[in-house]
Amino acid sequence: MAETKTIALTINGRDRKVAAPANATLLETLRELGYFEVKSGCEKGDCGACAVLVDGEAIDSCLALTWTVAGRAVTTVAGLSLGGAKHPLIEAFEKSGAVQCGYCTPGLIVAAQSMLKDTPEPDDDDIRLGLSGNLCRCTGYTKVFDAVRDAAAVLRGAESQA
Amino acid sequence: MTGAPQDWTRAPNVNLRQVGKPLVRTDVPGKAQGRTRFAGDHVMPNMLHAKVLRAPKASARLTRLDAAKARALEGVVCVLTAADLADRRAATDIPGQTGRKRLATDQQILVRERVRYHGEPLALIAAETLALAERAADLIEYDLEPLPGVFDPVEALKPGAPIVQGTDNVVATYKVRKGDLEAGFAEAERVVENTFRTQFVEHAFLEPEVGLAWVDENEVINIRVSTQVIEHFRAIADALGVAHNQVRILGSMVGGGFGGKEDVTVEIYLALLAQATGRPVRLAYTREDSFFGHGKRHPFVITHRTGVTQDGRITAVQITMTADAGAYVFLSPYVLLYAVVAGPGPYRIDNVHIDARAVATNNMYTSAFRGFGAAQACVAHEQQMDEIAKELGLDRLELRRRNFLRTGDEIATGYAIESAVWSDDCMTKAWAALGERAPEDGPVKIGRGVATYQQSYGRITWLHDTSEAWVGVEIDATVVVRSGVTDIGAGQVSALAQIAAELLGVSLGEVTVYNSDSATTPLAGTTTATRALYMTGNAVHLAAEALRGRLIGRAAEEFGVAPSEVDLAESRAFVIDAPDKSMALKDLVGICASEGIHRSELAMFRAPFTGEIDPETGQGRVHPDYAFGAHAVEVAVDTETGEVTVLKSVGAHDVGQAINPAAVAGQIEGGAAQGQGYALSEAMIYRDGELMTPSFSEYLIPTAMDMPRVQSIILESRSGLGPFGAKGIGEPALTPVAPAIANAVADAIGRRVFELPITPERIVMALREAEPRKGPR
Amino acid sequence: MYADFDLVIPETLDEALEALAGAVGGGNGGTQPLAGGTNMIVDLRARRVAPSRLVGLGRLDGLRGIRIADGRVRMGARTTMSDILRHPDLAGHAPSLVDQARVFGGQMVRNAATVAGNICSGSPAADAVPALLALDAEVTLASPSGTRVVPLSEFFLGYKRDARAPGELMTEIAWDIPPAHSSNRFYKLALRKGDAITVVGVAVALAAEDGKCGTARIALGAVAPIVKRATAAEAMLCGQALTPELIDAAARQAVDDVDPIDDIRASAEYRRHCVHALTRRLVTQAWERLT
């Protein structure tokens, strides 16, 4: 049996001590802790449903062993809106109709957030590139492109006011 | 532009306040914020984890199965094999609502002796942890003696072929004999014959099958599961040998279905394990399990022989279809029927002759998938139309125009269409929306294609389909809808809320829908067959309208006017011509409550009921109605490498009435992507029945990088049988996409690839052939 | 996850080398380095490998980053594909490497997958390798007893076999900045535009001297047991003024330099066809940039 140890993680802004075996993936650990918004879709990095931010950068949580992210900040879609206001990406996904079955949505939003950090003013091809690791079977991505562009504009506005 | 209704003149609805608006669907905020609990997001104390052990061969005899070591592993609570299941069998027939006798499709739940497909379940395991369940699976010993298999439906029909089902592997046949074929061909000036092939396709919903089952204090087996069909509680109870009221299905928001969660998936395994252990059991398929664990889209081989006059009038068509049913029957007979009904396409053809059969093989079984046979039929008939146009030197759109069905015309099965047929309008608009043609660049050639379709909505009329819904108004004037409907991501629940809000004069936010629980919500029937809005929308409409009548009646009394003078809007009742005469809905409901006026209504909607079609001629009514529309695309083809880029993709569909235009556009966009994958990149490859593509790195659905922005054009004839004249869009959105792309590729390169998917390699090979390629005869 | 192993996460390179010392290559039972995990975790889950111990490299920040100085690009082994995309200067002189990073998996994989991990995966379809081969990259291998530098062209010994001694860890990938009159290109042919396994990958690097082709590199992925250079084709171009006829002949020669297989993605015949078409196209494009 793999060794279990307790590691420190900051999850959605909250510092937590988490007991995890050596062979636990971050996906397994997060869902074990009740972060059910992190979805399992393929467990091999093909679909992006399990994407979370680690120190602001999106990764597939199914491909990260929990111990390897010790001490780092993990953010799920539910942690994006901390501080009360709904995150502009979430708002835009809702308003644009970019959500259908919704299973891929948390991963898409997380990946979009990570992509916008590098590319704050994306065109459609930037968005395609940023989201090519997130499979969606319902939307055909058209409204996802709309949502990410709308959110990017809102985020740039917030940035310039700050 | 051909303009508005061709043959349809019903006045549009007036004064819609909620319906027809692109509102944010009620289910969306929870999903976007990560609050929505899917079926896999529920756990229970003391819960066990289950695993299915699957056969690694496609055709074999199980000569030994020994689970002793697995059972002895500490933490393994239960291992079930066929030996533990006595005479238990499971039905695979379409879920009925009438108790009518099913087709003889019952199959083994676990392999007893004969393995018929790669991945057929051998054993079920329940353990304290998933890791233990996986270890236990490794410890189960078994011997499989290979048996000769048959992996091609044509081979399966030959004398001496291994028998997989029945006596001759034929699991269904249908035929159409309409008009006089010989006379039709005699009238023809040209005869065009081609054969088209399609592949096995996977639904690839993002949420793999998952469920959680427990036995409650009343001995009722509760199963919370991701399904399109909560009515499967009956089939599950039958398989377990318990009464129908001893199984409860609780749905959740479904993470994609597309027909792949239309059959029973994990339910029976969960129920058996929960029953055997007395503990809650969770079974979550891995992606690989999912690739093995549900039926695929049928591969078809379809030959069209079409007689046509020089000016492009089709005088006769003879069609043969062979579908690969795989190892078990499931919905093959119905898929085949849909293919037959849609066989000739949305064209008026007086002389039609169709022979179709579905044949068992040792490939994965095939069953429901968005488009349900009509999609495969469309792949053939729309490519054939382009080939005919080429043969005649006629414009492809013009050829279609000269043959389109009109309202009142009979389709292949002799049923005369009663609703609007706006095929021409849709096609013309979709084509125009392609705009300016992209320039060609060296080896990169540009091509365009269009396809039209005839797709049913609603179930087969001899299934006597019904749907029930309950609508009530709370004392604070908020509205509750109870409906068993499952929401598979298209906004099925939100549409019901929008209909109730419209009729009861409240906003969408004031409606709560409780859905998808066989114990507490009235049974709505399945979310399949593009029927949820049509059937359950109508049921909600009936219930809400009855309630509206009572509320308006009481308000009219209060206002001293006739009920026809009163309307409900913005949570108020008011006199239409004197809006200052009004009262809050809450006050009106309060009066009703104190006077004992019934504030709720349970309604049933019934589709048209018929008997079966004539087995010799295939004539008769099969479906309530049909939807019509078109998809057009522009592609770039690299003639050196065969790579295809879809540059523009436009769907134009007459949806009757869009309840939520944003949701309708979402269906069109999603259908465009799924159809594009069908055309270009998706194939479940089985070699001697063994699956070669059990993951998303081998089975390639379109990514964001593969998709153009899809343009949606929504036409509204208000001629459908659904609420407010709605038709349906779930399946129609997909059906014409693949043939439109096939036609565009052929347009670009001047050669046709007669088999899906149109891979780069097939394009290169088609271009290499010195002579223009003909379809295999 | 079902796989059972120990995991150590060293804080320094020395600790890592110590932990890896004596590690057996090939994966089963031994000790294996773990970088981005985008191959390793998949292989573990599929039971293609079963190491008893993994050495996580995630804390070795010194192994991550791109430094350009003195005419040389030095890339830490843990540099990710996203790091390559973000770098402001790489697109200027190594567009082939940047282009492969764009089509390398999806964003999350690019954020995690490392250059050394891609090289050491041994996959003939590893996308970073053709570009790096065409750039004449060298790799540094370290062990407790010291370091050595191996040309990437000598690193691959056969299918999933490479020059690492047991316990050796790749720490750096480096190459000289290409000369002024040079051009490099990469193209990945796959069955889907986003996040797909390569059917044929082609990288080309040319340098011009006095209107002629000085050096030529053609590296081909997914068409042989290892990513390999089409050296005979390269030789046909060196010292010549490139004409369409010569380029076509070299591209045909490249077909003879490879040994593709049939698999579910494509036939060997189609792969050969594309080696010809893409080599011709990329050499033509690279040459056009130089003339």
Side-chain angles (χ1 to χ4, degrees), chain C residues 53-71:
Chain C
R53 189 166 70 147
L54 293 176
V55 179
L57 307 176
R59 295 199 176 274
L60 308 183
D61 290 337
L63 291 188
R64 184 169 175 183
I66 301 163
R67 289 163 292 276
I68 302 179
D70 305 328

Side-chain angles (χ1 to χ4, degrees), chain C residues 159-242:
Chain C
Y159 180 70
K160 302 244 172 194
R161 285 193 304 119
D162 62 49
R164 281 177 297 166
E168 266 188 326
L169 180 69
M170 188 178 292
T171 55
E172 188 177 273
I173 300 95
W175 64 94
D176 289 339
I177 292 180
H181 293 286
S182 70
S183 172
N184 58 78
R185 320 278 299 186
F186 173 79
Y187 191 78
K188 167 175 175 162
L189 177 76
L191 299 183
R192 175 172 83 179
K193 296 186 196 318
D195 194 5
I197 295 172
T198 302
V199 171
V200 176
V202 181
V204 165
L206 301 181
E209 283 169 22
D210 306 327
K212 291 182 176 168
C213 178
T215 59
R217 293 286 180 270
I218 298 166
L220 301 166
V223 287
I226 59 172
V227 182
K228 65 181 286 191
R229 295 241 312 263
T231 47
E234 293 171 358
M236 290 172 68
L237 301 176
C238 284
Q240 306 293 320
L242 303 193

Side-chain angles (χ1 to χ4, degrees), chain C residues 136-161:
Chain C
D136 282 336
E138 298 171 320
V139 298
T140 303
L141 305 177
S143 67
S145 55
T147 63
R148 61 185 178 121
V149 175
V150 177
L152 188 58
S153 57
E154 294 168 22
F155 181 74
F156 300 105
L157 305 179
Y159 180 70
K160 302 244 172 194
R161 285 193 304 119

Side-chain angles (χ1 to χ4, degrees), chain A residues 31 37 39 41 44 46 77 86 94 100-101 103 124 128 132 135 137-143 145-146, chain B residues 25 31 33 38 40-41 202-203 206 255 287 489 666-667 669-670 674 682 695 697 702 704 707 709-710:
Chain A
R31 289 186 59 87
E37 66 274 22
K39 301 301 183 198
K44 61 190 290 281
D46 291 330
V77 72
K86 197 188 278 181
E94 292 176 12
Q100 289 195 30
C101 88
Y103 199 79
D124 281 358
R128 287 188 176 96
S132 64
L135 297 178
R137 193 56 155 170
C138 297
T139 67
Y141 309 100
T142 296
K143 294 190 192 313
F145 300 154
D146 291 339
Chain B
R25 280 166 30 183
K31 289 173 174 175
Q33 295 161 29
F38 292 77
D41 299 336
E202 156 65 26
H203 306 77
L206 265 289
R287 178 56 56 184
Q667 288 300 297
E669 293 157 10
Q674 205 165 42
E682 296 182 29
S695 87
S697 47
M707 286 306 298
R709 274 178 180 269
V710 178

Side-chain angles (χ1 to χ4, degrees), chain B residues 269-289:
Chain B
Y269 308 146
L270 280 167
L272 288 167
L273 289 169
Q275 222 181 15
T277 62
R279 288 174 62 178
V281 182
R282 178 178 191 266
L283 174 55
Y285 275 3
T286 62
R287 178 56 56 184
E288 186 172 296
D289 280 323

Side-chain angles (χ1 to χ4, degrees), chain B residues 198 297-300 302 335 339 371-381 678:
Chain B
T198 67
R297 185 190 291 285
H298 292 72
F300 269 70
I302 302 177
V335 170
F372 205 82
Q376 290 95 321
C378 190
V379 168
H381 67 66
Y678 187 25

Side-chain angles (χ1 to χ4, degrees), chain B residues 709-726:
Chain B
R709 274 178 180 269
V710 178
Q711 194 180 335
S712 302
I713 300 173
I714 300 170
L715 285 79
E716 295 178 309
S717 66
R718 299 187 174 88
S719 69
L721 301 176
F724 305 98

